[in-house]
Structures are given as structure tokens and as C-alpha cells.
């Protein structure tokens, strides 16, 4: 095939050579679509628009009904800025397809693609007049209004679409939701929706969209009122309120979830909805710090008439409240045992895992090891299996049995090469290898520090990190400094964090972990919105430490900060 040669040329970017090769073949047969398509690609890449236009015009003279090439010609006219050809093509389509509005859709799409918003809107309005149909191209009209930042008019189009075509309701909702989140559009969207609801108070689409707008703009009281209105339109089943409750739950809006749940308590909902909203209610109470009320909710759920799995889930959550919030480990263990004994499934595995973890928190390494080994006999997911392997290696590390710990960390890396904990396992293997002979005292203090962290003993964690930092220099000195700075940052002791970083800069400027401390300092400034200082630090990191793994994150943040400095 003679066309193989120009195809290879084009694949290597040699469009000029390919065009020179193709033009004689084209002259032999100007009607060959394969040749026209290849030559068209070359001309467009070379921006040889007059040649492309002449070739297409020649073809269309003999084949006036070839719509695809007419659209290619239209695209070339837009790229080259040939306004007269744009108008000619539109008029030719109007003459050729006087009864087919769908023929104009590709023209509108090309006009939008090339950012000719005004021309696109003129064509839409012209088509609506020609075909006596004011509902033509509603989505296109809305998107053009968005391009022109006429957000109120876009909202009107989306509402009309939702009312006119139920099959495109999902598209209208998706596009409206994106418009609501678009910077600078929310106020106009809300104003347009409120105006629409003044004349159409029961328009469900407008109500759903303004609910999204209010909740996205932290106007939760108004959003709740809208959710109640929506619920009344659907027969007062509570489903719309429950849907809004789910959205609040996803955003961790605990107060709003609790408020909706308490409202649902005062109205009828079916048993299934009641079960789900009560779980969300209990979780929201935990988020609000109302632990006694949350325990009461979970206890009611564990004793109610529902599936065994849901009863066990309630018991498991009671255990979590006692363990993670009240730190009453005996009570937590009791409920985990209850959950593990009453259900054989994923929740049982989770409960057994938490029981094994409790042994670690209590300082019983022997019992913890036996519990994790027992879990290996169960049917675990890949992530659960990796977590158990990692915990068993950590237990050996806590026991300061370094040969066994290093072996288990290496086995973990081999068994889970793409796992969630593989980087931690690799890091611990390196820590043991670098320090077990050269700095055994520092390694002992580091192992104790990590164990104290698991046992929730922050004072002891701080003590061991300071101890390592003050020992003779070792491979752990810089890491301890970083961990200590992170420790102070996590408890909001920014002054102490900065003191540690300053000490690192004075004594350990060449240590591998110093750039991590420098990034932490920039992140602290960023979190406090001291953007000039943060940007200065991020620039230093980019110029000096560009091989570090966090460099992509630093670059992204610096780009955000530099955009803030631009006018407008």
C-alpha cells in the first residue's frame, strides 16, 4: 500500500515530507477519501489552512451531500478566522437541511469548541425561530451562557430542560451541580433559583438544585427547610430528608445530621430508612462528642428487630466508642467479643483485629502476637492480611528482637510489594540495618518511642525523641528531629516545632531529614495562611531539594500561592 510510507512519516511528525509524498497521489484521484483524510491531517498540523480549504471545496463540489467534510471545512474556517466561510457554511446547511434541526448540532458544538460563544448563541436562537421550537438545544444554550458568565440565564435553561425532557434530567442535574460549585457562580445561581421558585414553588428540580446550593454554601438552615419542602412533595415518606442527611454525613456535618435525625424521629419513616438514619445519627453524636447519647442509640439498635449483621455492627460501634473516645478498654473488649461471637463475617474479623490491637495498647505484646497469628488462620482480605503481617513485624520490633523484626519486615515487602504499608516496612528494615550495630542505644529508644505511641503515652514519646536527638549523631538523629517537630505540630505547639526545626538547621543542615523539616515549616505557615513565608520556603525546597519524594506536592502548593498573587 503506497499510503504506508506517508503514515510512517506522520507517526514520526514528518508532516511536510508526508504532504509532499501524498499530493501527487491525490492529483491522481482527488476523490479518494483515504488520501484526503491523510493529507488533511498534514495540512492541519502544518497550519496550511488555504490548501486544506481548497481540497475540501473541490471534493464538496462533486459531493455536496458529504456532511462530514462540510463540518471539516467549517472547523478549518473557525481555526483560520475565515468569518465569511463560517457564514457560508451555516447558510449551506440551512439550505440543505431545511427540516432537520439535528444537522445544526455539529455546527453549534464546533462553535463552542472554538470559543465562539456569541455565534453559537445566535445560531441556537436562529434555529429556534426557524423551527418554531424554543426548547431546541437547551443544554448547548446553557453551556454557552456559562461560557459568557451569564449564570442566571444558564439556570433558566436547565430548569426548562428538566421540565421538558425527563430523559435528560440527570444531565441537567449534573451540569447544574457543577455550575453551583464553579467559583463566582453560586450567588447568581441561588438568585435565579429563588426567582424560579417564587413562580413555581413546587418545581422539584429547582428545589433539589437550591438545596445543593444552600448546603454547598454553608446555609444549612435554609437547606433543611428546602429538604422538608421536597419531602412533602413526595408524600412525606422521609426519603428526601434521608438523602439530604446522607449528603451531610458525607461532608462530616455532624450537627446537621443530628438535627435531621431528630426531625425524622417526629415523623413516620419505614423500618429500613429508620435503621439507616439511626446509625448515621449515632455516628453524628460521636462526632459531636455526645458519647453517652451515642451509646444509647447504638444499644437500642443492637436490641431492635433488625438483621443480625446490623445488630453486630451496633455492638462493634459501641466497642469503638469505648476504645477510641472514652479509652475504657475493658468495656471495648467486652463489646468486641460480643460482636466477634455473634456474627461470622467481615465484622467478626474487624472485631478480632480490634481485640488484638487492644492487647498492644494495654502493653501485652505476647497476647497481641498470639491474637494476630490467630487471625492469619481466618479468611482475610488482601489489605487485612497485609495489616496483620505488618503488625506482627512491629511487635517483634517493639520487643527489640531486631533480627526477627528485620526478617518479618523483609518478608512483608516480598509478600505485599504494592501494599499500603510496604514503605513503612522498608523504612523499618533500613532503620534496623543502619543502627543495630552503629547506634544500638538510639535504636532501643526509637523502638520504645514507637511502642509508647501505640500505647497513647505522648509524654514518653516526647522523652524518647529528645533522648535520641541528644545522643551522639547517628542515622536516627535527623529522623528523631523530624518526628519531634511533627509531634509538636500535631498538638498545635507551633513554637516548639519551630525550635526543633531551627536546631536541625543549625546542627543537621546536611541530614537527609532536614528538607522534610523545612517542608513541615512551610506547611505550618500555609495552614496559618501566612502565604508569603510558605511560598519562600517552598521555592527554596524546589531550588535545592528537587529529588525528594514530596517535590510534586510542594510544586502544586507553590503554584496555588503564586496564582493568589495575580491581579484579580
Amino acid at each position: 500500500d503506497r499510503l504506508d510510507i506517508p503514515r510512517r512519516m506522520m507517526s514520526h511528525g514528518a508532516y511536510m515530507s508526508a504532504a509532499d509524498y501524498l499530493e501527487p497521489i491525490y492529483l491522481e484521484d482527488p476523490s479518494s477519501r483515504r488520501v484526503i483524510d491523510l493529507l488533511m491531517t498534514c495540512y492541519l498540523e502544518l497550519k496550511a489552512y488555504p490548501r486544506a480549504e481548497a481540497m475540501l471545496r473541490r471534493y464538496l463540489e462533486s459531493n455536496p451531500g458529504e456532511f462530514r467534510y462540510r463540518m471539516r471545512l467549517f472547523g478549518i474556517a473557525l481555526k483560520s478566522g475565515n468569518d465569511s466561510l463560517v457564514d457560508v457554511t451555516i447558510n449551506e446547511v440551512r439550505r440543505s437541511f431545511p427540516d432537520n434541526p439535528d444537522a445544526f448540532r455539529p455546527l453549534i458544538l464546533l462553535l463552542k469548541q472554538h470559543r465562539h460563544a456569541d455565534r453559537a448563541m445566535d445560531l441556537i436562537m436562529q434555529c429556534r425561530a426557524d423551527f418554531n421550537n424554543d426548547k431546541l438545544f437547551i443544554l448547548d444554550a446553557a453551556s454557552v451562557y456559562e461560557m459568557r458568565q451569564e449564570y442566571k440565564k444558564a439556570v433558566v435553561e436547565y430548569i426548562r430542560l428538566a421540565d421538558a425532557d425527563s430523559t435528560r434530567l440527570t444531565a441537567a442535574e449534573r451540569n447544574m451541580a457543577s455550575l453551583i460549585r464553579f467559583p463566582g457562580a453560586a450567588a447568581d445561581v441561588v438568585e435565579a433559583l429563588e426567582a424560579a421558585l417564587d413562580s413555581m414553588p413546587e418545581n422539584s428540580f429547582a428545589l433539589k438544585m437550591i438545596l445543593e446550593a444552600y448546603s454547598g454554601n454553608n446555609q444549612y438552615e435554609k437547606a433543611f427547610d428546602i429538604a422538608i419542602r421536597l419531602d412533602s412533595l413526595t408524600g412525606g415518606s422521609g426519603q428526601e430528608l434521608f438523602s439530604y442527611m446522607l449528603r451531610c454525613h458525607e461532608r462530616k456535618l455532624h450537627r446537621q445530621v443530628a438535627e435531621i435525625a431528630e426531625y425524622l424521629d417526629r415523623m413516620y419513616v419505614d423500618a429500613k430508612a429508620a435503621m439507616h438514619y439511626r446509625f448515621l445519627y449515632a455516628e453524628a453524636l460521636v462526632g459531636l462528642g455526645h458519647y453517652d447519647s451515642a451509646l444509647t442509640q447504638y444499644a437500642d439498635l443492637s436490641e431492635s428487630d433488625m438483621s443480625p449483621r446490623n445488630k453486630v455492627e451496633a455492638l462493634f460501634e459501641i466497642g469503638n466508642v469505648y476504645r477510641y473516645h472514652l479509652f475504657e478498654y475493658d468495656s471495648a473488649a467486652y463489646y468486641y467479643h460480643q460482636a466477634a461471637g455473634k456474627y461470622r463475617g467481615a465484622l467478626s474479623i474487624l472485631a478480632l483485629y480490634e481485640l488484638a490491637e487492644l492487647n498492644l495498647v494495654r502493653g501485652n505484646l505476647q497476647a497481641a502476637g498470639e491474637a494476630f497469628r490467630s487471625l492469619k488462620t481466618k479468611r482475610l482480605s488482601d489489605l487485612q492480611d497485609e495489616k496483620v503481617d505488618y503488625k506482627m513485624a512491629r511487635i517483634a520490633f517493639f520487643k527489640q528482637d531486631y533480627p526477627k523484626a528485620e526478617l518479618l519486615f523483609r518478608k512483608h515487602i516480598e509478600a505485599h510489594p504494592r501494599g499500603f504499608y510496604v514503605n513503612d516496612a522498608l523504612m523499618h528494615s533500613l532503620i534496623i540495618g543502619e543502627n543495630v550495630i552503629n547506634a544500638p542505644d538510639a535504636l532501643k529508644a526509637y523502638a520504645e518511642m514507637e511502642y509508647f505511641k501505640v500505647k497513647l503515652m505522648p509524654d514518653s514519646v516526647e522523652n524518647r525523641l529528645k533522648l535520641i536527638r541528644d545522643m551522639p549523631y547517628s542515622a536516627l538523629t535527623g529522623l528523631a528531629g523530624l518526628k519531634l517537630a511533627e509531634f509538636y505540630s500535631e498538638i498545635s505547639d507551633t513554637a516548639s516545632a519551630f525550635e526543633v526545626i531551627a536546631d536541625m538547621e543549625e546542627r543537621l543542615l546536611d541530614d537527609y531529614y532536614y528538607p522534610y523539616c523545612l517542608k513541615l515549616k512551610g506547611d505550618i505557615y500555609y495552614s496559618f495562611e501566612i502565604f508569603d513565608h510558605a511560598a519562600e520556603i517552598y521555592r527554596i525546597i524546589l531550588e535545592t531539594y528537587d529529588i525528594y519524594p514530596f517535590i510534586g506536592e510542594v510544586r502544586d502548593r507553590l503554584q496555588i500561592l503564586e496564582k493568589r498573587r495575580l491581579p484579580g
Side-chain angles (χ1 to χ4, degrees), residues 212-504:
E212 182 73 20
Y214 282 148
S215 57
N217 201 36
N218 302 328
Q219 296 175 279
Y220 301 116
E221 187 175 343
K222 288 184 176 181
F224 189 26
D225 290 340
I226 294 294
I228 293 171
R229 285 173 63 180
L230 268 171
D231 188 60
S232 66
L233 284 177
T234 57
S237 66
Q239 191 57 47
E240 290 293 342
L241 283 161
F242 182 61
S243 297
Y244 175 54
M245 188 181 190
L246 279 173
R247 291 201 292 275
C248 291
H249 171 260
E250 290 166 359
R251 296 172 183 175
K252 306 295 184 185
L253 302 173
H254 303 307
R255 192 170 303 283
Q256 283 67 44
V257 171
E259 184 180 356
I260 299 164
E262 287 157 9
Y263 179 85
L264 285 171
D265 273 343
R266 301 192 295 269
M267 60 180 291
Y268 171 80
V269 291
D270 62 59
K272 185 177 180 180
M275 176 185 70
H276 287 299
Y277 95 75
R278 287 192 174 279
F279 270 107
L280 298 183
Y281 182 34
E283 185 176 335
L285 290 171
V286 172
L288 292 169
H290 301 164
Y291 304 123
D292 289 343
S293 298
L295 288 171
T296 300
Q297 287 292 324
Y298 282 129
D300 289 346
L301 286 164
S302 71
E303 297 168 3
S304 61
D305 183 17
M306 61 172 68
S307 70
R309 189 190 187 287
N310 286 302
K311 289 184 177 183
V312 171
E313 183 179 350
L315 291 171
F316 181 75
E317 293 299 340
I318 292 173
N320 284 343
V321 173
Y322 278 119
R323 185 200 163 176
Y324 291 103
H325 301 284
L326 299 177
F327 307 108
E328 296 180 19
Y329 300 132
D330 289 341
S331 296
Y334 172 80
Y335 284 100
Y336 288 144
H337 276 298
Q338 291 285 310
K342 290 187 176 181
Y343 192 77
R344 293 292 178 264
L347 275 173
S348 175
I349 298 295
L350 287 175
L352 291 172
Y353 182 87
E354 293 296 342
L355 284 168
E357 280 272 323
L358 276 178
N359 285 315
L360 277 180
V361 176
R362 288 165 156 172
N364 193 337
L365 292 175
Q366 186 66 29
E370 291 171 2
F372 282 118
R373 276 192 294 275
S374 176
L375 273 168
K376 292 288 287 184
T377 66
K378 310 291 184 182
R379 293 183 60 183
L380 304 177
S381 68
D382 290 343
L383 178 57
Q384 288 170 338
D385 187 54
E386 188 201 0
K387 286 173 71 175
V388 170
D389 284 347
Y390 180 65
K391 290 294 182 181
M392 291 172 69
R394 293 259 288 171
I395 288 170
F397 187 62
F398 296 154
K399 288 181 174 180
Q400 299 170 32
D401 185 348
Y402 303 125
K404 181 178 180 181
E406 185 171 21
L407 176 64
L408 290 176
F409 281 127
R410 290 188 177 277
K411 283 186 174 180
H412 180 279
I413 295 165
E414 292 172 6
H416 312 282
R418 298 180 181 274
F420 187 79
Y421 297 95
V422 68
N423 288 335
D424 286 337
L426 178 60
M427 182 177 175
H428 279 82
S429 177
L430 292 172
I431 286 172
I432 293 170
E434 291 175 341
N435 297 281
V436 68
I437 294 175
N438 296 327
D441 291 340
L443 182 60
K444 178 178 183 295
Y446 191 85
E448 290 173 346
M449 178 277 295
E450 288 208 336
Y451 190 26
F452 288 137
K453 194 170 184 179
V454 169
K455 293 172 68 176
L456 305 179
M457 300 170 64
D459 290 345
S460 297
V461 170
E462 181 185 14
N463 173 271
R464 292 304 186 273
L465 288 171
K466 286 182 174 180
L467 186 64
I468 298 168
R469 188 187 60 168
D470 296 337
M471 287 179 178
Y473 182 80
S474 71
L476 283 170
T477 305
L479 178 58
L482 172 63
K483 295 284 185 183
L484 188 59
E486 290 175 339
F487 171 83
Y488 288 131
S489 176
E490 287 167 5
I491 62 173
S492 300
D493 187 354
T494 305
S496 295
F498 281 173
E499 284 179 13
V500 173
I501 295 169
D503 179 70
M504 288 279 289

Side-chain angles (χ1 to χ4, degrees), residues 156 159 189-201 210:
V156 172
I159 292 173
V189 170
V190 168
E191 187 176 338
L193 288 170
E194 288 174 342
L197 287 169
D198 285 342
S199 57
M200 301 178 293
I210 203 167

